[in-house]
Amino acid sequence: MDKIELALSRYTDYFKFEQLCIEVMSYYGFSRIKKIGGHKDDGVDAIESNSYYDETHEKRVFQFTMQKETKAKITDTEKKLERNGVEYDELIIVTSRSVNNIDGLMKSFRLKKQKSLQIYDLSAFVTVVGSHQDLLQRYFPDLNSQIQKDFLNDDYFSDSGEDQLSISMIKSTLLFSLSPDLKTSQQRKNLFDKSLLSVISSIDEGYNIKEVMDVFHKKFGKILVDSQVKAALERLITKGLITVDGEKYKASKKAKQEIMTGIAHVEQRTNALIDDIIAQTHVVASSIKCSVDDDKQMWTNIKKTLNLFFKYYGTDLAMDVDSIVPNMVRQEELIRLLKDCLQPDLGECLVYSLGDILSHPNEKQSEVISLWAKAFISTQLMRLDPMLGAFQGNAFKEKVFILDTDFVLNCMVKYGKQSSVYSSLLKELLKIGCKVYITDDVVREVVTHAEFAKRNFNYFENAFEAADESVIYERLKNVFVIDYYVSILRKDNEFSNRTFSSYMSNIYDSDDSYNFMLEVMENRLPKGVIIGDEDLRRKVSVDEVERDTLTKSIFGETIKTYKAAYRSEEENWQIAKTDAELYLIARGLNKNLPVNKNKMLMDGKAYLITNSNRSIRCAKSNGIFSTVVSKPSVLVALLSEIGWFDASDKSIVDLLGNPFLAEITNQCWDELKVLVDSGVDLRGKELPRLKRELKHVIHDLITQEEDDLKNDNDSSFDEEESTPKMEDMEQFVQFAEMIHSKGYKLIPIAETMIENYKQLKSDKEDKEKKNERLKEELNKVGKGKQNYIRRVMKNEEEKIRKKK
């Protein structure tokens, strides 16, 4: 990492910074910049004019800023310029911060103001100052002493209550993550080296070997061997990260500089991420008045929320089940923190914006989110097992992994949210030599999942051509429906021109569902997965009393989940029973193993891979707890730390989950469903903004739907079909016009239906012919819309009857 990033991140002298900007800009061809103002000017820091060969005159206005929120600074500057009548052709923002999506900001400004915008961010300073040492010496003469002074300060995501060792652990983790020179083939040893560096660098005076061992025992409960510590210290000395002063080992100047520059690098990218989230919130909340104080509050809230978000991810590794917070509790706490001290509508827009960026991060955003996630996991690993004892030699390849239903389902399809990373993880476990099992109960649950697919598809069918992919991912829970929908959306040739029924025919056969599913699994899953639990049953028997007790306890938690509402009581009991069986099988395989006195990670023989914490929480409350559950994200993190698995940044982000988008989607879904069923195209629309803009329309539709349910007593029509929202086609046309006036449109087939209706009406065709053609158009939209034509036909028949 470049120390210029560190220097600028610590810069507080605005007037010297302003002068540095002018010098840096001169290297980019702006050699005649005229200084005209200070930090209290009218939005202008400097002006530079160029005369071109055709004698046209272009006026450039410069704005120099150390402000975190670049997008907010651009908006503030353009308002000041307009308010003070400053004429300009091009605005040039020069900022000490890293900025994402510069091209997008420039394009947006050009469309809005019909003027040019250029942005020179941190990279411009790194390029120029890094090539001109005189600038570095003149503007940052005390950089080395500043590094020494600031070294023991809190890091970006430290809480004020955290001890110095915790802060030091994050810093050393980031150092090893960012420095390619520190990565070795012995990644497992790297974790121990990080742990030692964290301890040694946590105080200025350092530690001797005995003190290092005492700290480990006191802080982490780990008893180290003298030879292990000496070997690690030698590696750190060789890398130039520690020095020896008598018997004391201290962090070297090189280590301090690289750690601090690494922290500055991550801080800059994190600031840019937060700036992106706030900028998107402004777009989503365009009709909400947002003050400078609101921006500051959002900045504070995002930073606190991300801190807790990453900490939750880290604690998934914890061996103490009491420290694992249930997902719903996590979501509630994160949302509360993110919305704190903000007006409700603005808070909702902020939650959506953070969720949307987590769902669709660009490359730079993925990089920084993934980096923090891995840093918190690595820090937790240091606390639990810095030696990674269970990963030495051939110990890991002797392990047994039992897969839960959700993991298997994602491995069976191409476009599930976690399909790619789960499939890669499964292949890696088999490659290492681990045994992987899928029990008969899981096979049956997969069959049930396939049986439910058609019902799930019918419920969401209208949404497929009207809602965004991210909304479908968050709301849909059937992976087969997700796989089909996303494949069509992405125009996958393998799925083109296939109906959902033909897609499912390759997965489910009602005549012999279990045996057919076995064949499907054997075909779709990697070779080596053991399907069926006869082998497991020979090795362990499940106590029926424990199974019944645990099943009852798990059922009590299962029925509180979102998915439970779409299942029968019998189905929820079966799921609870399967969860209990899987847990007890894994626990039984570990029963006769020696007690893990040193609490090494994954020291047992068998583990259940699942994202659910219900079984271990319920097992703990019933006195049958054992550390036999491993989340897929934890396994990915562990194997990545050792160098056995290489997950992409985007995969790491997906593994974190998205409680923010889930919150907004669940909040808005009932209203979204009404609009979707009415044919409104919601693709590309921000959910909170959509809800505000169409709240009156939604209210009217819901009210009409309730009235229709009360008044419609015609038994000749299927009562389960979608109830119409309009009195007749004329009313539907009026609804469409209202939607169009608000900048929305209907799905293409509904727009075509309306156009055809208008054409038929203007042609004054024969009533019967007109009704038949209308009926054909309505059939294209779906059975749920046939009620419209029914009402039109009844009205016409009534008119004819009265005339007679």
Side-chain angles (χ1 to χ4, degrees):
M1 296 302 105
D2 202 300
K3 61 182 179 181
I4 298 165
E5 294 187 9
L6 172 62
L8 285 170
S9 71
R10 299 294 190 270
Y11 220 44
T12 57
D13 188 335
Y14 179 80
F15 295 102
K16 287 186 70 175
F17 171 72
E18 196 174 55
Q19 188 58 42
L20 173 62
C21 288
I22 293 173
E23 290 205 47
V24 169
M25 286 295 95
S26 70
Y27 286 99
Y28 283 95
F30 305 111
S31 57
R32 296 186 295 279
I33 296 178
K34 179 183 177 182
K35 177 76 166 56
I36 65 170
H39 66 290
K40 293 183 179 179
D41 56 52
D42 295 325
V44 182
D45 287 329
I47 291 179
E48 190 267 358
S49 300
N50 280 334
S51 295
Y52 293 93
Y53 68 92
D54 56 1
E55 297 182 349
T56 59
H57 191 70
E58 185 171 321
K59 185 177 179 183
R60 295 187 177 94
V61 172
F62 289 77
Q63 179 68 65
F64 308 136
T65 179
M66 292 189 289
Q67 184 174 318
K68 292 177 182 177
E69 306 93 340
T70 304
K71 178 67 167 60
K73 185 63 177 178
I74 295 171
T75 302
D76 182 58
T77 300
E78 67 177 74
K79 286 179 179 178
K80 283 184 179 179
L81 293 171
E82 185 175 343
R83 185 170 63 247
N84 293 287
V86 177
E87 297 290 336
Y88 66 98
D89 300 300
E90 182 175 55
L91 173 62
I92 298 179
I93 298 290
V94 185
T95 174
S96 61
R97 306 291 176 177
S98 180
V99 181
N100 292 334
N101 194 25
I102 288 178
D103 290 342
L105 291 173
M106 290 165 55
K107 180 180 179 181
S108 176
F109 187 86
R110 186 169 60 252
L111 292 173
K112 179 182 178 183
K113 304 295 292 183
Q114 283 75 54
K115 297 177 186 292
S116 295
L117 170 71
Q118 285 196 65
I119 299 174
Y120 290 86
D121 73 342
L122 174 65
S123 59
F125 289 91
V126 170
T127 299
V128 173
V129 179
S131 303
H132 299 83
Q133 289 298 308
D134 61 312
L135 290 177
L136 183 64
Q137 292 166 7
R138 280 194 287 119
Y139 285 98
F140 312 104
D142 302 319
L143 180 57
N144 289 332
S145 61
Q146 189 70 36
I147 290 173
Q148 303 299 317
K149 178 183 175 182
D150 292 345
F151 183 70
L152 294 179
N153 289 346
D154 292 359
D155 78 272
Y156 197 85
F157 278 143
S158 290
D159 290 333
S160 57
E162 287 185 315
D163 59 29
Q164 189 57 52
L165 178 56
S166 297
I167 297 169
S168 184
M169 288 164 76
I170 284 284
K171 288 180 176 178
S172 65
T173 294
L174 291 173
L175 168 64
F176 275 73
S177 297
L178 291 168
S179 175
D181 296 337
L182 296 178
K183 293 189 177 182
T184 69
S185 58
Q186 296 294 319
Q187 293 285 79
R188 184 177 55 78
K189 291 183 179 179
N190 258 0
L191 183 65
F192 187 48
D193 291 356
K194 281 187 269 188
S195 305
L196 281 182
L197 182 60
S198 300
V199 170
I200 290 166
S201 61
S202 63
I203 57 174
D204 268 336
E205 56 269 27
Y207 288 113
N208 61 35
I209 292 178
K210 183 180 182 305
E211 289 168 337
V212 168
M213 296 173 71
D214 288 344
V215 169
F216 261 89
H217 186 252
K218 181 180 178 181
K219 295 286 186 180
F220 307 139
K222 305 295 178 185
I223 299 174
L224 300 181
V225 178
D226 184 87
S227 59
Q228 292 175 326
V229 177
K230 287 180 178 178
L233 290 174
E234 286 300 320
R235 289 194 295 271
L236 290 170
I237 290 171
T238 301
K239 294 171 182 175
L241 299 178
I242 62 173
T243 58
V244 186
D245 185 2
E247 293 186 350
K248 297 280 187 178
Y249 293 85
K250 301 180 181 180
S252 67
K253 289 183 178 180
K254 173 189 174 182
K256 289 182 178 180
Q257 179 174 308
E258 291 195 9
I259 286 174
M260 294 299 288
T261 53
I263 286 287
H265 174 86
V266 180
E267 282 183 6
Q268 286 279 4
R269 274 74 189 163
T270 307
N271 287 338
L273 171 67
I274 296 176
D275 198 13
D276 290 344
I277 297 167
I278 293 175
Q280 181 155 333
T281 303
H282 286 161
V283 173
V284 179
S286 58
S287 62
I288 300 173
K289 188 174 182 180
C290 188
S291 67
V292 174
D293 288 339
D294 286 328
D295 281 354
K296 290 179 180 177
Q297 187 64 51
M298 284 194 286
W299 188 277
T300 299
N301 291 2
I302 295 168
K303 188 173 175 181
K304 287 181 179 178
T305 301
L306 289 175
N307 185 12
L308 183 60
F309 184 54
F310 294 131
K311 281 187 175 178
Y312 276 148
Y313 180 60
T315 56
D316 283 340
L317 270 171
M319 305 192 74
D320 181 5
V321 68
D322 294 331
S323 69
I324 301 177
V325 180
N327 289 336
M328 286 304 298
V329 177
R330 290 186 185 193
Q331 183 167 318
E332 289 170 4
E333 179 63 15
L334 289 166
I335 300 303
R336 184 199 63 76
L337 197 59
L338 192 56
K339 288 179 158 184
D340 190 36
C341 296
L342 295 172
Q343 52 180 305
D345 283 353
L346 182 59
E348 187 177 74
C349 293
L350 178 58
V351 173
Y352 172 80
S353 298
L354 175 51
D356 191 51
I357 283 177
L358 282 176
S359 182
H360 306 102
N362 60 35
E363 186 176 343
K364 291 182 179 178
Q365 292 164 347
S366 289
E367 180 185 355
V368 72
I369 294 169
S370 171
L371 190 59
W372 277 117
K374 288 186 282 190
F376 275 76
I377 278 284
S378 188
T379 299
Q380 189 72 9
L381 280 170
M382 285 188 231
R383 295 180 187 278
L384 296 173
D385 189 5
M387 296 299 296
L388 290 176
F391 297 86
Q392 298 182 41
N394 295 323
F396 195 79
K397 67 172 58 176
E398 301 297 326
K399 296 192 183 302
V400 172
F401 289 97
I402 303 166
L403 308 183
D404 86 333
T405 306
D406 283 342
F407 189 93
V408 173
L409 285 166
N410 271 279
C411 292
M412 288 180 65
V413 300
K414 186 175 181 180
Y415 292 115
K417 188 71 178 287
Q418 313 293 355
S419 292
S420 176
V421 67
Y422 282 9
S423 295
S424 297
L425 175 60
L426 180 57
K427 290 174 183 175
E428 191 59 41
L429 292 174
L430 292 168
K431 180 181 175 182
I432 291 169
C434 304
K435 285 192 174 181
V436 181
Y437 287 91
I438 298 174
T439 67
D440 287 331
D441 284 339
V442 168
V443 176
R444 292 188 181 91
E445 280 199 357
V446 173
V447 170
T448 302
H449 196 81
E451 289 173 348
F452 290 169
K454 180 62 176 176
R455 186 172 72 187
N456 198 254
F457 177 81
N458 289 339
Y459 177 78
F460 285 97
E461 185 174 8
N462 290 337
F464 294 156
E465 57 182 332
D468 279 334
E469 180 181 314
S470 59
V471 174
I472 297 298
Y473 265 131
E474 288 302 325
R475 193 65 193 179
L476 263 174
K477 302 302 176 185
N478 191 292
V479 296
F480 297 127
V481 182
I482 290 174
D483 189 47
Y484 175 76
Y485 165 69
V486 177
S487 68
I488 298 300
L489 191 68
R490 298 185 183 179
K491 297 179 172 56
D492 189 324
N493 292 331
E494 184 182 344
F495 294 84
S496 60
N497 300 319
R498 291 174 64 185
T499 63
F500 185 66
S501 295
S502 66
Y503 166 85
M504 286 304 299
S505 67
N506 293 308
I507 298 170
Y508 177 71
D509 184 345
S510 58
D511 294 332
D512 189 11
S513 58
Y514 179 82
N515 288 313
F516 186 73
M517 186 59 72
L518 288 178
E519 293 179 18
V520 173
M521 286 184 169
E522 288 172 359
N523 182 54
R524 295 194 175 197
L525 298 175
K527 302 299 179 187
V529 177
I530 304 168
I531 304 174
D533 51 15
E534 290 184 11
D535 186 39
L536 290 175
R537 294 297 183 183
R538 285 195 295 269
K539 296 177 181 177
V540 60
S541 59
V542 173
D543 184 285
E544 290 188 10
V545 175
E546 286 185 342
R547 184 193 62 195
D548 292 345
T549 300
L550 188 55
T551 298
K552 184 177 180 180
S553 184
I554 293 174
F555 174 79
E557 289 207 18
T558 299
I559 58 176
K560 300 174 186 176
T561 64
Y562 160 75
K563 289 184 183 180
Y566 296 88
R567 298 188 291 246
S568 68
E569 183 176 357
E570 182 183 353
E571 290 160 354
N572 283 319
W573 272 112
Q574 183 56 51
I575 285 169
K577 182 182 176 182
T578 299
D579 286 350
E581 286 266 358
L582 294 175
Y583 173 84
L584 291 172
I585 289 172
R587 178 172 174 264
L589 289 170
N590 287 291
K591 258 189 174 178
N592 298 320
L593 294 179
V595 177
N596 180 5
K597 293 182 179 179
N598 210 25
K599 292 186 176 180
M600 290 189 300
L601 275 173
M602 300 194 73
D603 193 49
K605 177 182 180 181
Y607 288 88
L608 168 62
I609 302 181
T610 177
N611 259 317
S612 172
N613 294 319
R614 286 194 299 273
S615 58
I616 52 174
R617 288 201 308 273
C618 294
K620 179 74 178 287
S621 66
N622 286 283
I624 50 177
F625 173 68
S626 181
T627 55
V628 296
V629 169
S630 178
K631 284 195 169 186
S633 57
V634 170
L635 271 176
V636 169
L638 281 168
L639 299 183
S640 296
E641 183 66 40
I642 302 163
W644 292 353
F645 189 80
D646 186 18
S648 69
D649 289 339
K650 181 61 169 65
S651 293
I652 295 293
V653 175
D654 286 342
L655 286 170
L656 290 170
N658 197 336
F660 310 101
L661 194 59
E663 170 76 8
I664 294 299
T665 303
N666 289 337
Q667 272 188 10
C668 297
W669 179 250
D670 289 341
E671 293 141 326
L672 288 178
K673 189 72 166 66
V674 171
L675 293 171
V676 163
D677 287 342
S678 300
V680 183
D681 191 339
L682 307 180
R683 289 170 294 184
K685 304 295 183 182
E686 297 93 354
L687 304 188
R689 187 175 181 179
L690 181 152
K691 190 170 75 170
R692 287 197 313 278
E693 291 177 349
L694 295 180
K695 61 182 178 182
H696 297 302
V697 176
I698 295 168
H699 177 268
D700 290 344
L701 288 175
I702 291 174
T703 303
Q704 290 176 19
E705 179 179 291
E706 291 172 350
D707 291 342
D708 289 340
L709 284 171
K710 291 177 183 178
N711 300 328
D712 193 352
N713 297 315
D714 190 337
S715 60
S716 64
F717 290 87
D718 187 353
E719 292 296 325
E720 293 185 2
E721 297 292 355
S722 301
T723 305
K725 316 278 189 307
M726 320 302 168
E727 289 299 320
D728 51 26
M729 274 301 299
E730 287 291 343
Q731 199 166 350
F732 187 58
V733 171
Q734 292 174 15
F735 165 73
E737 290 173 349
M738 179 172 56
I739 288 294
H740 292 156
S741 71
K742 293 180 177 292
Y744 293 83
K745 60 182 179 179
L746 302 179
I747 56 177
I749 198 165
E751 296 283 6
T752 301
M753 178 188 73
I754 290 174
E755 289 303 315
N756 285 334
Y757 170 77
K758 290 179 179 179
Q759 183 63 47
L760 289 170
K761 184 179 178 182
S762 65
D763 291 344
K764 296 181 180 179
E765 291 182 3
D766 176 78
K767 294 293 187 295
E768 183 176 352
K769 183 178 179 181
K770 174 181 174 180
N771 288 338
E772 286 298 318
R773 290 185 62 182
L774 277 173
K775 191 172 182 179
E776 289 176 8
E777 293 301 322
L778 285 166
N779 281 334
K780 293 179 183 177
V781 179
K783 292 182 179 179
K785 302 297 185 298
Q786 289 182 8
N787 291 308
Y788 296 134
I789 190 63
R790 172 171 63 85
R791 289 185 172 178
V792 172
M793 293 171 67
K794 287 174 72 174
N795 287 341
E796 295 300 328
E797 289 170 0
E798 182 66 18
K799 290 176 184 177
I800 294 171
R801 186 183 65 77
K802 286 181 178 180
K803 285 181 180 181
K804 290 181 178 179

